[in-house]
Amino acid sequence: MAGEAAALLVRFGRRYAAAVRLATLVPICAIAPFRASPEHLVSTLVVVGIAAAWTCGFAWWLRAGRGNALVAVDVAVLLGLFGSVFWTDAVADKNTGWLRLLVTFACATYQWHTSPVAGGAAAIVSGGGAVGLLVAGGALEVDASLATGTLWALSAAVQARAAWIFVTRAAKRADLMAAEALRARGEALLAAAVRAEEREQANSLHDTAATTLLMVGLGQVRSDAAWLGPQARRDLGRLRSVGGRAPEEADLVDLLRTDLAATQLTVDFDGPGRLRLPFHVARAITDAAGEALTNVRRHSGTTHVTVRLSGDARALHLDVVDRGKGFSADDVPGTRRGVRESIRGRMERVGGTATITSAAGEGTRVRLEWRDAGAADAAPIGDTVANDAVEESARARLGRGLRVATLVVSMTAVFGIALPTLVGHLGTYDTPLAQIGAFAVLGVVLIAEAVLVVRGRSWDRFRGPAIAAVLAASMLSYVSLPDGRTSTGEDWMFAAATWAGLVVVLERPLRAAALFLLGHELTALLHLLLFEGVTSESLARFVTGSVTVIGFPLCVAVVATVLRSLGTAAVAARGELEQVRVAEAVAAEIHNRRQERFAELSASTVPLLEGLADGSLRPESPPVQRSCAIEAARMRRLFAESDDAANPLLHELRHCADVADRKGVVVELDSRGQWPTPPVAVRRDLTEAVLVVLATAATRARVTVVGSAALVSVSVVADCGEADVPAPATPGVSIEALTSDDTVWMEARWQPADQGADQLTSFLALTVTS
C-alpha cells in the first residue's frame, strides 16, 4: 500500500497534468490565428477548436482519475492535429509553433501520471511522430529548425520524468519517516494511555475494595454495620466491570445522585436537574466527589455533608463541604493516595482542578472545577509541537527531492543544451567574452546550489544577491546578442537563465518565482523592442518561445508550492490513521489488562468481598481481619506499581507498610547499596513476605534492603506471632523464615542472572556492614 504522501502525489500528478494542459491551451490557441494567413484562417480555427475540445475532455478524464487507457488515444489525436499543418499550410506560414507546444507539453505531462515505460513510449511516439510527419511532408525543405523545435518535446519529457522520479522517491522516503515517527509516538501514547488506565483502575480499587478491606483489617467495622453488605456488593460490581466501550456522554447529576444514595451520610444536594458531559469527565468528577464523601465518613466525625453543583457543559464547579473536625495537609503521609490520586489526580487527568481547604476544627471544603478547553486545542496524535516536527520533516524531505530534481533539470538545460549552443554560435556574438561571462555566472549559481543541497543548507541571505547576479547575467547576454536574434537558436540565455534563477527561488513562495520569471522575460522583451523592432514574425516567435521558457519553470515552482501543503496533508492523513490504530490498540490493551487484573484479584480479593457481602465472614473475626489487612496491603503495593519512582522497590515497600502504619505499628525502613530495578514479578516476590508480616505486626517492625548488581535481599523482623511463608512465583527468588516466640524474621533474595563472583563478594560485604 502506498504511503500518504506518495498517494497524494499520484493524485496531484493527474490533476496537475490536467491543469497544465488547460493552462497552456490558452496561449497556444491564441498563437495559431495570430500567425495564420487570411486564406487559411478558417481551417486553422477549426483545428484550434478541435484541439481545445479534445484537451478539455482529456483534462476532465485526467482529473477524474479513470486510468491511463486514453493516453494512446491522446497521442493519436495529437498526431492527427499535427498532420493538419499541411491542410492549413502552416508549414509555409511557419505557424507550426502552436502545435509543437501542444505536443511538447503533452509529452512532459505524460510523465506525471503514467509509468516510465508508458510515459516514455507516449513521448517518443508523439514527439517522434511529429518529426516524422514533418520529414515525410517535406517540411524540412521549408525550415530545417522545425524538426529541432519539435524534438524539444522529447527533451522536455526526459526532464519531466527525471523530476517526477526524484519527487516520487522523496515522497516515499517522507512517508517512511513520517510513518516511523508517528508509529513511535503512537506506541508511546499507547503506553501512556495504558499507564493512565492502570492508575485510574488503581484509584477505582482504592476508592472501593481497598477501602472496605482496610477498614475491616483495621478492626473498624462491626458485624451490625448496615453499610458493609451493600458496599461490599458495590465493590464487587466495580471489580467485575472489566470493560466494554464506555458511552460518549453521561448525565453528571444522575451519576452523582446514584453515588449519594449509596453513601451512609446525610447529604444536602443543590444542583441543576441534569448536566450532560463527556462520559470520562462525568465519571472522573463523580469518583473524585465519591472519594471526598468517603473521607468525610471515615475521618470528619460528622454524618452531614453539603454538595453543591453549579455551571454548565462549558464550565462547572462542585463543592463537597462538611463541618467536621478537619485536618492539616502536613499531617497526611506521602503513602496516602486518597487526596493525591483519587481526587486531585483524577481531576488533573480530565483537565480540571481540585482544591482542598481544611483546618483542624473548621471542617473541610473540596472544590472540583472543570472547564472545557475545546477539541480544537488537542492534536490528533500527540502534542501539536510534535506533529509540527513530523510535518516539517515530511515537507523538508519532499522539498529536498524537488530541489534535487530541479537542479538536475537545470544542469541539463544549462550545461547540456545552453553550453553547446553558446559554443556553436560563439563567433556570431558581438562580444563573445560577455556571453562567456554571463554563462559563468549561471554556472557558479548552479554549482553553489549543488553544494547547498549536499550540505542540506538554504540560500538564506545570499538569495537576493544570487537572483540579482542571474538577472545581471541575462542583461549582459542580451546586450551583446546580435540584432534580430532574440528567442532564436543563438539566444541560449532565454531558457538557461530561467532554470538557474529557479533553483535559487524554489523554496520561496510562488510569487517570488513568478516575479523572477517576469523580470527575466521583460529583459528579453526590452531587447526585442529597443534593438530589433517588433514584427509579427518576431513577436510570434517570442511568444511561442516564452510559453515554453516560462511555462516549464513555472510548473516546477507550482509543484514546490503544492508539495509544501502536500507534506502537511500527508502527515495529517497518516495522523488520522494512527489515531484510529492507537485508539483500537488502547481499547484492546486496556480490556486485556482489566481482565488480567480481575484474574489476579479473583483468588483472594473476590472471596473476601463475597463473604462480607453475604455475611458469611464476620468483620470482628481476627482471621478475617488478618486476611483483609494482608489483601489491603497487597492492593496498596499494586497502586504503587503504577507510580513513577526512582527506586520502585523501596517505593513499593513504603506502601506495603501503610496498613501497619495505620494500625500504629512503628516501622523502620533501612537500605544499603545500589541494585538494578527488578521486574514487577520479582518485586512482588521480594515484597510479599514483608507485606504479610507488616500487615499482621502488633507494635514494631524493621525492614532492611541490601543490594548490589549481584544480589538483592529484602528482610523483615516483627512481632506478628506467626506468618505463613509465601512461595515465590519467579525463578531466582528464594525466601527463608525463622520464628522465635512472637517474633518472625523473613528474608527474600533475588540473584539476577549472569552476575560474577566479584559482585557477589561486594554484596556480602554490604550485608556484614549493615
Side-chain angles (χ1 to χ4, degrees), residues 39-55:
E39 60 269 24
H40 294 111
L41 180 61
V42 174
S43 57
T44 300
L45 289 176
V46 170
V47 176
V48 168
I50 295 172
W54 171 254
T55 301

Side-chain angles (χ1 to χ4, degrees), residues 605-624:
T605 304
V606 171
L608 288 173
L609 290 174
E610 288 176 339
L612 295 173
D614 61 22
S616 60
L617 294 180
R618 297 179 59 81
E620 297 101 334
S621 168
V624 172

Side-chain angles (χ1 to χ4, degrees), residues 367-393:
R367 166 160 285 199
L368 309 178
E369 294 181 283
W370 178 80
R371 182 180 298 275
D372 184 7
D377 295 338
I381 286 289
D383 57 275
T384 302
V385 174
N387 276 346
D388 289 345
V390 177
E391 290 175 7
E392 185 61 33
S393 176

Side-chain angles (χ1 to χ4, degrees), residues 246-262:
E248 292 184 4
E249 287 189 341
D251 183 2
L252 174 61
V253 177
D254 184 54
L255 292 178
L256 285 171
R257 288 189 182 278
T258 300
D259 272 22
L260 293 177

